Amino acid sequence: MTHTQPLSVLERFFEDFPQGGSLLIVAHNHPDPDTIASAAALREIASVLGKAKTTIAYGGILGRAENANMVKYLKLELRPIDEISIKSFDRIAMVDTQPTTGNNDLPDELMPDLVIDHHSMIKATQEVPFVDIRLDYGATASILSEYLFQFDLPIDKNLATALLYGIKSETQDLGREAYSIDVEVYHKLFPIANKKLLSKIVHAKVPKSYFAFLVESIQNAKVAGNAVVTRLGEVEAPDIVPEIADMMMRMEGAAWALCTGQYKNGLHLSIRTTNAQKDAGKLMKRLVRSKGKGGGHNQIAGGRIPVDGLETWEIFELQDLMEEKFLKSIKKDQYAKQPLVPDEHS
Ligand SMILES: [Mn+2]
């Protein structure tokens, strides 16, 4: 680092950090590879710059087989946030998420000291003393990777593999909302990463129940113009919802997809679009509006609506409503919905 440049957010954060103190890194709920890799990289930086004792915590569950494999094979220690005494930490950091967004389990009255993210800044984040938000990065893992290279820190095989996978999965192999910086750090990480382990993560074995969800989502899928909508009933882990939305985008001609599914007391929603000029995050916010919380980027977005106390049929009607609102918003409501796979037996 040259001294003519202003100090980076992380340099200033660790200047202010009680050396040898404790740092809690909060990942977003049902953590995906981007938030997991970002947390692991921040832990590495914190151990060098702050001699910090670090704990990575997350809410929800590690659902996807790929993500569980990533944590297992790369020996990334993550702890459920409800097993942790949050107030015992000297500092709190948040990666790939922001306070009060509803997609992390840091209590709303507790403000983090540091936020590193690539989603638009929300109002609550203005209260956070150290903020590094970069919208022209396809993954938070790219921001953290750049820091590691900038600080000239050693990156071991496991961390490089985690970061590579974080960027790869978040950008669909650098094809979706990837920027030049994502490509650049990806190239730098590639020689260091363990390709065998990466392959084992990407091609994770899935439980038998996974195939039942696939069948259900395909049977429920309806096509309206260039949009596909589908739904699941109760799921074992909410991250199958975005996974199905991604799968629906593989249909020839698909430009839009919506998938919904119930996990515990919430209806989870996921939007995908190939149209980079659109704002899927804004559309998601409009869909859930006063009912729940949501957000995202141009081409991917997620949301959640609490369904406490609702009967199964009421949740079904809510899914109907979300599909209608979605198709209306993207002006596909004038198309008659056709089943993706015609039922040949009826
Ligand atoms: Mn991300």
Side-chain angles (χ1 to χ4, degrees):
M1 296 290 300
T2 58
H3 290 279
T4 50
Q5 278 183 350
L7 289 181
S8 62
V9 173
L10 272 191
E11 283 168 301
R12 287 190 284 115
F13 175 72
F14 284 108
E15 261 188 7
D16 184 61
F17 191 82
Q19 289 286 306
S22 57
L23 173 69
L24 175 67
I25 303 174
V26 180
H28 65 64
N29 288 352
H30 319 297
D32 68 7
D34 189 26
T35 194
I36 296 169
S38 300
L42 182 58
R43 168 162 56 198
E44 196 55 42
I45 295 169
S47 77
V48 178
L49 267 58
K51 308 273 176 287
K53 291 184 278 293
T54 307
T55 300
I56 299 173
Y58 67 96
I61 58 165
L62 259 173
R64 258 180 109 139
E66 292 91 324
N67 304 355
N69 268 5
M70 174 189 185
V71 170
K72 188 173 101 186
Y73 293 142
L74 303 179
K75 302 181 179 67
L76 309 170
E77 283 162 45
L78 266 64
R79 293 185 55 195
I81 197 164
D82 50 16
E83 291 175 8
I84 279 170
S85 155
I86 297 173
K87 291 196 170 131
S88 70
F89 288 86
D90 294 314
R91 296 284 188 278
I92 300 172
M94 217 173 237
V95 285
D96 204 33
T97 177
Q98 295 179 43
T100 74
T101 50
N103 86 330
N104 66 72
D105 274 355
L106 188 70
D108 283 355
E109 67 276 10
L110 278 181
M111 269 292 132
D113 304 283
L114 168 69
V115 165
I116 305 178
D117 195 11
H118 66 137
H119 300 85
S120 308
M121 180 145 127
I122 65 153
K123 206 159 164 249
T125 307
Q126 293 171 3
E127 311 292 314
V128 177
F130 296 95
V131 178
D132 192 348
I133 289 176
R134 307 187 199 179
L135 300 181
D136 49 349
Y137 282 60
T140 303
S142 297
I143 305 176
L144 272 305
S145 301
E146 198 181 30
Y147 268 123
L148 285 165
F149 291 119
Q150 225 171 43
F151 296 157
D152 218 358
L153 296 180
I155 307 174
D156 71 24
K157 261 183 189 303
N158 283 3
L159 181 56
T161 312
L163 288 164
L164 193 77
Y165 186 57
I167 299 166
K168 178 182 161 69
S169 68
E170 183 92 352
T171 63
Q172 278 196 336
D173 299 293
L174 299 175
R176 181 181 67 196
E177 294 195 64
Y179 299 83
S180 57
I181 184 68
D182 303 301
V183 179
E184 187 188 308
V185 296
Y186 191 93
H187 278 288
K188 286 188 185 169
L189 292 165
F190 194 80
I192 318 170
N194 184 331
K195 271 70 82 179
K196 263 220 166 96
L197 277 187
L198 184 64
S199 170
K200 274 178 82 170
I201 294 167
V202 173
H203 302 285
K205 298 285 183 198
V206 293
K208 281 183 188 157
S209 58
Y210 177 84
F211 297 94
F213 290 115
L214 287 190
V215 170
E216 187 186 350
S217 70
I218 292 167
Q219 281 172 344
N220 289 339
K222 303 248 178 343
V223 181
N226 62 3
V228 192
V229 292
T230 189
R231 65 177 74 178
L232 296 162
E234 265 193 86
V235 297
E236 292 170 345
D239 44 13
I240 186 128
V241 174
E243 190 177 349
I244 295 294
D246 280 332
M247 184 179 80
M248 291 303 156
M249 290 300 286
R250 297 193 57 193
M251 186 193 83
E252 276 181 2
W256 291 95
L258 168 74
C259 181
T260 61
Q262 185 200 346
Y263 175 70
K264 291 192 174 166
N265 54 3
L267 181 71
H268 288 250
L269 301 94
S270 185
I271 292 175
R272 295 292 185 265
T273 180
T274 47
N275 191 335
Q277 308 325 315
K278 299 288 178 186
D279 190 335
K282 255 194 204 146
L283 174 57
M284 180 59 83
K285 282 201 177 104
R286 272 213 306 279
L287 274 193
V288 301
R289 196 153 267 169
S290 55
K291 292 186 166 71
K293 284 185 169 178
H297 306 272
N298 287 356
Q299 292 180 255
I300 59 178
R304 181 182 171 279
I305 298 173
V307 292
D308 303 273
L310 292 192
E311 301 288 337
T312 307
W313 67 268
E314 290 172 301
I315 295 171
F316 198 83
E317 284 198 339
L318 181 59
Q319 289 177 300
D320 280 343
L321 178 70
M322 289 299 120
E323 289 178 7
E324 276 166 38
K325 276 181 80 175
F326 171 72
L327 292 175
K328 203 169 174 171
S329 304
I330 60 169
K331 302 187 170 56
K332 300 292 173 249
D333 55 328
Q334 71 269 36
Y335 291 86
K337 283 189 274 178
Q338 303 287 343
L340 173 63
V341 179
D343 185 358
E344 291 176 5
H345 305 285
S346 60

Short mmCIF file of all heavy atoms in Angstrom, two decimals, residues 28 32 34-35 96 117-119 138-140 170 297, ligand 1:
data_model
loop_
_atom_site.label_atom_id
_atom_site.label_comp_id
_atom_site.label_asym_id
_atom_site.label_seq_id
_atom_site.Cartn_x
_atom_site.Cartn_y
_atom_site.Cartn_z
N HIS A 28 -25.28 -13.95 6.34
CA HIS A 28 -26.73 -13.88 6.22
C HIS A 28 -27.38 -15.24 6.47
O HIS A 28 -26.72 -16.27 6.48
CB HIS A 28 -27.19 -13.22 4.93
CG HIS A 28 -26.87 -13.94 3.65
ND1 HIS A 28 -27.39 -15.17 3.33
CD2 HIS A 28 -26.09 -13.58 2.60
CE1 HIS A 28 -26.96 -15.52 2.14
NE2 HIS A 28 -26.15 -14.59 1.67
N ASP A 32 -25.21 -18.61 1.92
CA ASP A 32 -24.81 -19.09 0.60
C ASP A 32 -23.28 -18.99 0.50
O ASP A 32 -22.63 -18.44 1.39
CB ASP A 32 -25.55 -18.31 -0.50
CG ASP A 32 -25.13 -16.85 -0.60
OD1 ASP A 32 -24.18 -16.44 0.08
OD2 ASP A 32 -25.76 -16.12 -1.37
N ASP A 34 -21.29 -17.13 -1.10
CA ASP A 34 -20.70 -15.78 -1.08
C ASP A 34 -20.53 -15.27 0.34
O ASP A 34 -19.46 -14.78 0.71
CB ASP A 34 -21.58 -14.83 -1.91
CG ASP A 34 -20.92 -13.48 -2.12
OD1 ASP A 34 -19.67 -13.41 -2.09
OD2 ASP A 34 -21.64 -12.48 -2.33
N THR A 35 -21.57 -15.40 1.15
CA THR A 35 -21.46 -14.90 2.53
C THR A 35 -20.50 -15.77 3.35
O THR A 35 -19.74 -15.26 4.18
CB THR A 35 -22.87 -14.76 3.17
OG1 THR A 35 -22.77 -13.97 4.36
CG2 THR A 35 -23.49 -16.08 3.53
N ASP A 96 -22.06 -9.44 3.35
CA ASP A 96 -23.04 -9.82 2.33
C ASP A 96 -24.48 -9.60 2.80
O ASP A 96 -25.41 -10.18 2.26
CB ASP A 96 -22.82 -11.29 1.91
CG ASP A 96 -23.37 -11.60 0.53
OD1 ASP A 96 -23.34 -10.71 -0.34
OD2 ASP A 96 -23.81 -12.75 0.31
N ASP A 117 -20.46 -5.30 1.89
CA ASP A 117 -21.58 -5.84 1.12
C ASP A 117 -21.54 -5.33 -0.31
O ASP A 117 -20.83 -4.37 -0.63
CB ASP A 117 -22.90 -5.43 1.80
CG ASP A 117 -24.09 -6.24 1.30
OD1 ASP A 117 -23.89 -7.24 0.59
OD2 ASP A 117 -25.24 -5.85 1.60
N HIS A 118 -22.30 -5.98 -1.18
CA HIS A 118 -22.43 -5.51 -2.55
C HIS A 118 -23.89 -5.28 -2.92
O HIS A 118 -24.23 -5.25 -4.09
CB HIS A 118 -21.74 -6.45 -3.54
CG HIS A 118 -22.38 -7.80 -3.65
ND1 HIS A 118 -22.59 -8.44 -4.85
CD2 HIS A 118 -22.86 -8.64 -2.71
CE1 HIS A 118 -23.16 -9.61 -4.63
NE2 HIS A 118 -23.34 -9.75 -3.34
N HIS A 119 -24.74 -5.12 -1.90
CA HIS A 119 -26.13 -4.72 -2.13
C HIS A 119 -26.26 -3.22 -1.81
O HIS A 119 -25.50 -2.70 -1.00
CB HIS A 119 -27.08 -5.49 -1.20
CG HIS A 119 -27.05 -6.97 -1.37
ND1 HIS A 119 -26.14 -7.77 -0.73
CD2 HIS A 119 -27.82 -7.79 -2.11
CE1 HIS A 119 -26.36 -9.03 -1.07
NE2 HIS A 119 -27.37 -9.08 -1.91
N GLY A 138 -19.63 -8.25 -8.32
CA GLY A 138 -20.64 -9.29 -8.44
C GLY A 138 -20.80 -10.12 -7.20
O GLY A 138 -21.81 -10.80 -7.02
N ALA A 139 -19.80 -10.09 -6.33
CA ALA A 139 -19.85 -10.90 -5.11
C ALA A 139 -19.12 -10.17 -3.99
O ALA A 139 -18.13 -9.46 -4.24
CB ALA A 139 -19.19 -12.26 -5.35
N THR A 140 -19.62 -10.33 -2.76
CA THR A 140 -18.89 -9.77 -1.62
C THR A 140 -17.54 -10.47 -1.50
O THR A 140 -16.55 -9.86 -1.08
CB THR A 140 -19.73 -9.94 -0.33
OG1 THR A 140 -21.00 -9.30 -0.51
CG2 THR A 140 -19.04 -9.30 0.87
N GLU A 170 -22.15 -17.24 -7.05
CA GLU A 170 -22.92 -15.99 -7.00
C GLU A 170 -23.13 -15.42 -8.41
O GLU A 170 -24.15 -14.81 -8.69
CB GLU A 170 -22.18 -14.97 -6.12
CG GLU A 170 -22.90 -13.65 -5.92
CD GLU A 170 -23.79 -13.63 -4.69
OE1 GLU A 170 -23.99 -14.69 -4.06
OE2 GLU A 170 -24.33 -12.55 -4.37
N HIS A 297 -30.52 -7.85 -6.30
CA HIS A 297 -29.76 -7.14 -7.33
C HIS A 297 -30.63 -6.98 -8.57
O HIS A 297 -31.82 -7.24 -8.53
CB HIS A 297 -28.50 -7.92 -7.67
CG HIS A 297 -27.66 -8.25 -6.49
ND1 HIS A 297 -26.69 -7.40 -6.02
CD2 HIS A 297 -27.65 -9.33 -5.67
CE1 HIS A 297 -26.12 -7.96 -4.96
NE2 HIS A 297 -26.68 -9.12 -4.74
MN MN B 1 -23.63 -11.85 -2.33
#
